[in-house]
DNA sequence: GCCGAATGTCGAAGCGCTTCGACGACGGAT
DNA sequence: ATCCGTCGTCGAAGCGCTTCGACATTCGGC
């Protein structure tokens, strides 16, 4: 018996509360869980004792007896090519939402791999799992099916059968960007995408955006090229210079690469192309980022916070054994800011001038560094 | 009795393993914990059963019986003015290190405030707490003292008495930057610091870096000014233009503001000041960031990973009731890259020329956006 | 060849909580 | 009055694990 008093840790137990309030242990439990009716008088007496003693239920005991840990796991990626601020925003939203549902969040990094998931799930440390940054052919997808724990994926694997997925509708996002540019009269556009490695490993959002861009381009009679792009200033610059040298008529740019946004603007201005006068730029990036750039960028943000909230809410429903849709794709929202404008009237001479400018820039920067 | 077989969840229990291996439950437990000697033969038999049945100990039961959850809490900040990538790096390092010590990590955001800490600690959900981004006068500091759970702070509060803190020695970092510039012959330098709000709320690292910069400047006979700086391109540009207009002789810049690094370089080049030929730049920022800038930046990285490792290791020692030092300050490490060089010979005319250039830039950018 | 100390294993007592069945007390319908 | 159905509360049985003392064995020392 934990009879007379407090734990070694100094924490009172439910038995202490019961004794202090003059009721049975089970009554205290029911006051806390609300699973049986308790008279107003008794409830108040118990609650008073709880407050007075500073009682907090022991999580382990609760989990053991109730078979629910009230904890969910969040599996975050930590590879290159991820958008760090987006991940943070997302994690934050998940923690906040989870707390609203009276759950805590256990953080896993995907470098422990499938073994980590297995350990956590089998050990009943968590009730459910949120997996972020799911690739098209992700090893964790079959594993999750096998484990049979409630789970929600952020991202869209090639075969989501039997699982639950949430994501921004990147395909639609790509379309929206192109439609915006097309409606402004642009006829040649380019997508400056994620690093090649991201495409190579089959990351859904990159592929889907590209598909959306190209599809919308065809539909609206716009010429479009899509090129991957590493995340460093020099590479971005090379890409952009090359691009305009080869396709001087390009007047619209879709940038899906956070790290590239700054260098793109720098390079364009070095090329003598002004944003948005000569070239319009649409970015797929966080709003905060778009606001801080100059000029402020027309953008399609990844609604990390909403995705996080949705994911948690879906997971909670699964924990309550409710049926949920297999896939939830959030509609993209394009915010027009100062980086897009009507396409310039086509100037035939542009090509040559730009190519020359490009070489000057490259030369200047080579000398400087 | 959990007698005949498996949990409803399908997980085997320790009793199943014991039965399968033909030993007592306690023997299985001792095989797992190694707290008593078990013969080679028995151990192997038990381990084989464990593998065969796919047994994973139930975390809740273990926590209840052993009074150790094998989980630590990580309290992350989510305010403005934090260096998001650094936080991520740090979180990653903490998770990885914790796993090496057979612990998991529960993620808390500081917006649940002290209540969250209290709940977690009192409920024995975690064995110890790691608090990141501790301010000089942080409300959580007295709370942690009161809770009496093992904890480690990242950052250095004004009064760390009785607690355990780890951080980069930012004071020394400030000095190192100035010493580097001084040794290259620079005689007028400026610190472009964190946003004003960060100083205002008493964030240790900003204050300590500034102090280090100013102190080293005095000691080496260098003129130094320190100015806070918001995290958007326009503000950075204004600051830099203003700075050189007022103090044209400045030839060294210490930048402690990740978001400012890009804009600083852009602005300098717009001002006709070349890096490092005319102005040397030292950044306090992640290595990856410094490598990707062009020119590559001489920098003092915040060793997020090492801090994370250290923090976890200290916490583990505290969990084992070992004595640990009250404060651990990691020495800064300056990596020389391409953004610093010998100071230019003083040119008396500079002042005027620069002021003019500055105005041109401002005008040009106003027009563009 | 006997004794004490290791060594290896077992059984049982909890850890603090939830939950289920039981059971008075009370009130309305008969 | 009597019976039944609620309502409010209680006691006890676990949840799956760790840990403590006890109990055989085995072994080295003299």
């Amino acid at each position: 018996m934990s009879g007379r008093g407090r734990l070694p840790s100094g924490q009172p137990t439910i038995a202490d509360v019961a004794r202090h309030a003059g009721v049975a242990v089970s009554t205290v439990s029911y006051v806390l869980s609300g699973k049986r009716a308790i008279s107003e008088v008794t409830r108040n007496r118990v609650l008073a004792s709880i407050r007075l003693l500073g009682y907090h239920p022991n999580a382990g005991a609760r989990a053991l007896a109730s078979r629910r840990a009230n904890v969910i796991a969040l599996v975050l990626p930590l590879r290159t090519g991820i958008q760090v601020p987006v991940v943070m925003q997302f994690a934050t939203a998940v923690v906040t939402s989870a707390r609203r549902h009276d759950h805590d969040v256990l953080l896993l990094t995907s470098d422990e791999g499938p073994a980590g998931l297995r350990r956590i799930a089998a050990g009943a440390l968590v009730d459910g799992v949120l997996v972020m940054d799911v690739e098209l052919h992700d090893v964790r997808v079959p594993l999750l099916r096998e484990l049979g724990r409630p789970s929600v994926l952020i991202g869209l694997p090639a075969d989501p059968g039997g699982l639950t997925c949430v994501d921004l509708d990147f395909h639609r996002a790509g379309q929206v960007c192109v439609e915006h540019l097309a409606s402004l009269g642009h006829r040649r556009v380019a997508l400056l995408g994620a690093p090649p490695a991201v495409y190579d490993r089959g990351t859904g959002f990159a592929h889907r955006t590209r598909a959306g861009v190209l599809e919308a381009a065809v539909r609206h009679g716009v010429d479009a090229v899509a090129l991957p792009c590493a995340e460093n200033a020099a590479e971005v610059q090379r890409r952009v210079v090359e691009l305009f040298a080869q396709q001087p008529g390009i007047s619209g740019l879709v940038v899906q690469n956070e790290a590239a946004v700054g260098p793109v603007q720098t390079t364009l201005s070095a090329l003598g192309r002004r944003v948005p006068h000569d070239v319009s730029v649409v970015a797929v990036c966080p709003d905060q980022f778009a606001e801080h750039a100059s000029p402020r960028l027309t953008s399609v943000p990844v609604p990390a916070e909403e995705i996080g909230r949705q994911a948690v809410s879906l997971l909670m429903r699964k924990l309550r054994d409710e049926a949920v849709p297999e896939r939830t794709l959030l509609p993209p929202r394009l915010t027009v800011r100062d980086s897009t404008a009507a396409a310039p009237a086509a100037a035939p001479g542009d090509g040559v001038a730009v190519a020359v400018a490009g070489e000057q820039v490259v030369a200047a920067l080579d000398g400087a560094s």
Side-chain angles (χ1 to χ4, degrees), chain A:
Chain A
M1 287 293 98
S2 73
R4 75 276 165 259
R6 312 201 142 214
L7 293 175
S9 63
Q11 296 299 330
T13 72
I14 198 174
D16 297 321
V17 174
R19 201 166 322 112
H20 185 270
V23 299
V25 163
S26 50
T27 302
V28 177
S29 178
Y30 287 125
V31 166
L32 251 21
S33 70
K35 291 190 179 172
R36 280 198 186 177
I38 296 289
S39 70
E40 194 62 20
V41 166
T42 308
R43 188 208 317 296
N44 287 336
R45 198 143 35 90
V46 170
L47 289 177
S49 298
I50 287 177
R51 228 160 296 144
L52 197 84
L53 300 180
Y55 168 73
H56 286 263
N58 178 296
R62 199 201 269 272
L64 179 57
S66 69
R67 300 160 165 294
R68 312 183 84 279
N70 274 242
V71 177
I72 62 177
L74 172 61
V75 186
L76 290 187
L78 30 64
R79 292 171 304 216
T80 60
I82 59 162
Q83 308 200 28
V84 176
V86 175
V87 173
M88 274 296 277
Q89 249 183 286
F90 177 75
T92 297
V94 167
V95 173
T96 310
S97 313
R99 284 304 310 144
R100 276 202 232 305
H101 294 269
D102 194 34
H103 281 244
D104 278 291
V105 175
L106 196 86
L107 187 60
L108 289 187
T109 53
S110 39
D111 69 341
E112 206 188 340
L117 265 179
R118 186 163 253 133
R119 180 175 55 81
I120 291 292
L125 227 189
V126 302
D127 303 321
V129 179
L130 237 49
V131 182
M132 200 178 166
D133 201 36
V134 173
E135 298 170 358
L136 285 176
H137 301 282
D138 203 300
V139 287
R140 296 168 299 184
V141 168
L143 176 62
L144 286 172
R145 282 206 192 86
E146 176 202 328
L147 288 178
R149 295 252 154 192
S151 62
V152 172
L153 314 187
I154 314 300
L156 203 55
D159 172 20
L163 296 171
T164 305
C165 312
V166 194
D167 207 352
L168 174 65
D169 188 341
F170 278 101
H171 190 271
R172 185 82 199 97
Q175 295 180 337
V176 165
C177 291
V178 171
E179 285 164 9
H180 174 61
L181 291 174
S183 75
L184 288 171
H186 296 272
R187 287 289 159 261
R188 294 177 83 84
V189 306
L191 166 67
L192 210 65
V198 172
Y199 289 97
D200 291 346
R201 75 167 175 252
T203 302
F205 79 85
H207 283 275
R208 287 185 280 142
T209 308
R210 182 167 64 184
V213 163
L214 298 179
E215 190 185 305
V218 169
R219 185 146 15 108
H220 291 80
V222 171
D223 266 12
V225 299
L227 58 174
C229 181
E231 292 189 310
N232 63 74
E235 165 77 1
V236 173
Q237 178 188 297
R238 194 173 326 121
R239 285 291 197 184
V240 173
V241 168
E242 218 173 272
L243 180 66
F244 280 94
Q246 288 167 11
Q247 310 222 21
I250 285 181
S251 64
L253 231 42
V254 178
V255 182
Q256 180 181 36
N257 182 325
E258 207 166 299
V261 172
V264 163
Q265 292 188 286
T266 309
T267 308
L268 285 176
S269 96
L271 285 170
R273 305 250 184 184
R274 297 172 56 167
V275 176
H277 189 263
D278 304 313
V279 178
S280 286
V281 175
V282 185
V284 181
C285 74
D287 268 334
Q288 199 196 6
F289 208 84
E291 289 283 0
H292 278 174
S294 69
R296 299 178 318 130
L297 296 167
T298 293
S299 72
V300 175
V302 177
E305 208 177 302
E306 197 190 335
I307 294 179
R309 266 204 311 275
Q310 283 269 3
V312 170
S313 146
L314 285 166
L315 186 54
M316 291 299 145
R317 285 166 57 193
K318 291 185 86 166
L319 290 181
R320 292 192 301 263
D321 265 329
E322 298 173 22
V324 300
E326 199 163 84
R327 55 175 81 188
T328 305
L329 289 182
L330 304 178
R333 188 174 52 71
L334 181 133
T335 303
V336 178
R337 296 202 183 78
D338 309 330
S339 68
T340 49
D350 271 5
V352 177
V354 168
V356 171
E359 274 159 32
Q360 285 171 345
V361 170
V362 172
L365 282 151
D366 282 351
S369 60

